[in-house]
């Protein structure tokens, strides 16, 4: 039954991977291979490119990127440790091309312009809604390089409160979920990248539901919410942009140098001795 839920003609590349391997690397609420395949259908990845897999979880998406496109991958995640990730990478025979790192998405240890492309699979919503984040991230990709994100989201922004049929499942942290149109507007405001694509996966909610049945069949709250919603509000979204070649992202402010000048504390006071 688990394998049945992970079979999809929509994603032929992902279908080559054993269901047990996919489930053994589960790190979130979506099939990382399906989402990575959907995202990369619209991204040009060439052999030898340096790719940042930001928020890679336990590394399944990183292995997929390396195996399918022969790229070098820096597999970065904050929540999952690097040791288990490295074992998965070694078992895939990719230890010379995938480099696992433990790092915060807001404190990346890379040189400006180091990467040819950046991807983020079902992770970006947890930090990328910050109005200033795309400017920060764009520094690490070469001018003209693509930045692509994909993950759970909304078909359209709610016009009012959370719908009743989603209320039991919806938690305050779900406020980070947004529509493809929202991401387009959010990124275009930054003026550091050209948004090439922002869309919603047709029938993405069914794939979301299949994944839940496969890896978390006891998660009745989420399964019931998806079943009741029928794709009216919930689905998968992706967005792809390219860093502008004629604009330089602002340098992050880490400190502001100042010199202390002694002054009287009160109007009537004079500096002592």
């Amino acid at each position: 039954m688990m394998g049945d839920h992970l079979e999809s003609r929509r994603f032929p590349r992902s279908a080559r991977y054993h269901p047990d391997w996919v489930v053994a690397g589960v790190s979130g609420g979506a099939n990382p291979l399906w989402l990575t395949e959907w995202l990369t259908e619209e991204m040009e990845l060439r052999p030898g490119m340096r790719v940042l897999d930001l928020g890679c979880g336990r590394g399944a998406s990183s292995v997929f990127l390396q195996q399918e496109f022969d790229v070098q991958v820096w597999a970065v995640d904050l929540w999952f440790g690097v040791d288990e990730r490295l074992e998965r990478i070694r078992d895939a025979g990719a230890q010379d091309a995938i480099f696992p790192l433990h790092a915060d998405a807001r404190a990346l240890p890379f040189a400006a312009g180091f990467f040819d492309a950046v991807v983020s699979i079902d992770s970006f919503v947890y930090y990328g809604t910050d109005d200033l984040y795309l400017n920060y991230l764009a520094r690490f990709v070469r001018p003209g390089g693509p930045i692509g994100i994909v993950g759970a989201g909304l078909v359209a922004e709610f016009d009012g409160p959370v719908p009743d049929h989603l209320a039991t499942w919806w938690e305050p942290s779900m406020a980070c979920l947004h529509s493809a149109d929202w991401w387009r507007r959010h990124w275009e405001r930054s003026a550091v990248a050209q948004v090439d694509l922002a869309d919603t996966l047709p029938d993405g909610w069914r794939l979301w539901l299949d994944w839940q049945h496969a890896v978390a069949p006891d998660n009745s709250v989420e399964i019931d919410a998806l079943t009741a919603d029928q794709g009216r509000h919930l689905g998968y979204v992706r967005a792809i942009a390219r860093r502008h070649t004629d604009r330089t992202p602002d340098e992050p402010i880490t400190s502001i140098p100042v010199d202390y000048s002694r002054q009287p504390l009160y109007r009537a006071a004079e500096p002592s001795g």
Side-chain angles (χ1 to χ4, degrees):
M1 288 297 294
M2 179 186 69
D4 292 342
H5 288 300
L6 296 181
E7 287 289 336
S8 175
R9 294 181 180 178
R10 172 66 180 79
F11 301 112
R13 288 178 181 265
S14 302
R16 300 194 307 118
Y17 294 80
H18 198 288
D20 290 345
W21 184 87
V22 177
V23 172
V26 61
S27 58
N31 185 321
L33 302 196
W34 288 346
L35 293 188
T36 307
E37 183 168 349
W38 182 44
L39 179 65
T40 53
E41 287 172 354
E42 299 296 335
M43 293 183 71
E44 184 182 0
L45 299 180
R46 300 182 303 277
M49 290 178 70
R50 293 191 296 267
V51 177
L52 171 60
D53 187 1
L54 186 59
C56 68
R58 297 168 68 186
S61 57
S62 301
V63 172
F64 181 89
L65 288 165
Q66 193 281 320
Q67 295 287 316
E68 299 299 318
F69 300 101
D70 194 23
V71 294
Q72 298 180 79
V73 184
W74 277 256
V76 174
D77 198 85
L78 177 65
W79 293 349
F80 292 91
V82 295
D83 293 342
E84 190 256 2
R85 201 181 320 156
L86 180 57
E87 289 187 44
R88 179 168 291 103
I89 292 167
R90 284 173 173 164
D91 283 347
Q95 64 271 18
D96 294 331
I98 304 177
F99 314 106
L101 286 87
H102 180 262
D104 190 322
R106 299 178 182 87
L108 295 172
F110 303 111
F114 180 75
F115 293 104
D116 299 300
V118 175
V119 302
S120 182
I121 313 301
D122 205 31
S123 168
F124 199 79
V125 294
Y126 297 112
Y127 42 84
T129 56
D130 182 338
D131 287 343
L132 302 179
Y133 188 74
L134 184 62
N135 179 85
Y136 170 77
L137 181 63
R139 293 181 64 253
F140 301 107
V141 66
R142 61 173 174 78
I147 299 171
I149 68 170
V150 63
L154 302 178
V155 175
E157 298 298 302
F158 295 148
D159 184 16
V162 176
D164 290 342
H165 67 279
L166 298 179
T168 302
W169 170 71
W170 193 271
E171 300 175 351
S173 61
M174 302 297 181
C176 67
L177 298 182
H178 289 289
S179 65
D181 287 342
W182 186 94
W183 283 108
R184 178 183 290 277
R185 293 192 300 270
H186 182 61
W187 278 6
E188 286 177 342
R189 288 178 58 206
S190 74
V192 300
Q194 169 66 44
V195 180
D196 293 331
L197 175 70
D199 62 357
T200 306
L201 180 63
D203 279 341
W205 71 275
R206 296 184 187 276
L207 296 170
W208 188 341
L209 186 61
D210 284 344
W211 178 250
Q212 288 299 314
H213 280 302
V215 303
D218 296 331
N219 185 5
S220 59
V221 174
E222 188 162 340
I223 288 172
D224 291 347
L226 287 163
T227 303
D229 187 67
Q230 296 285 299
R232 287 176 289 167
H233 302 284
L234 302 179
Y236 290 137
V237 301
R238 68 180 171 181
I240 301 172
R242 286 174 292 113
R243 176 182 161 182
H244 284 304
T245 58
D246 58 348
R247 300 176 193 172
T248 302
D250 294 334
E251 292 290 327
I253 299 174
T254 56
S255 65
I256 300 176
V258 295
D259 294 322
Y260 177 71
S261 177
R262 187 178 184 184
Q263 300 295 329
L265 182 61
Y266 299 108
R267 285 179 178 268
E270 294 295 333
S272 60

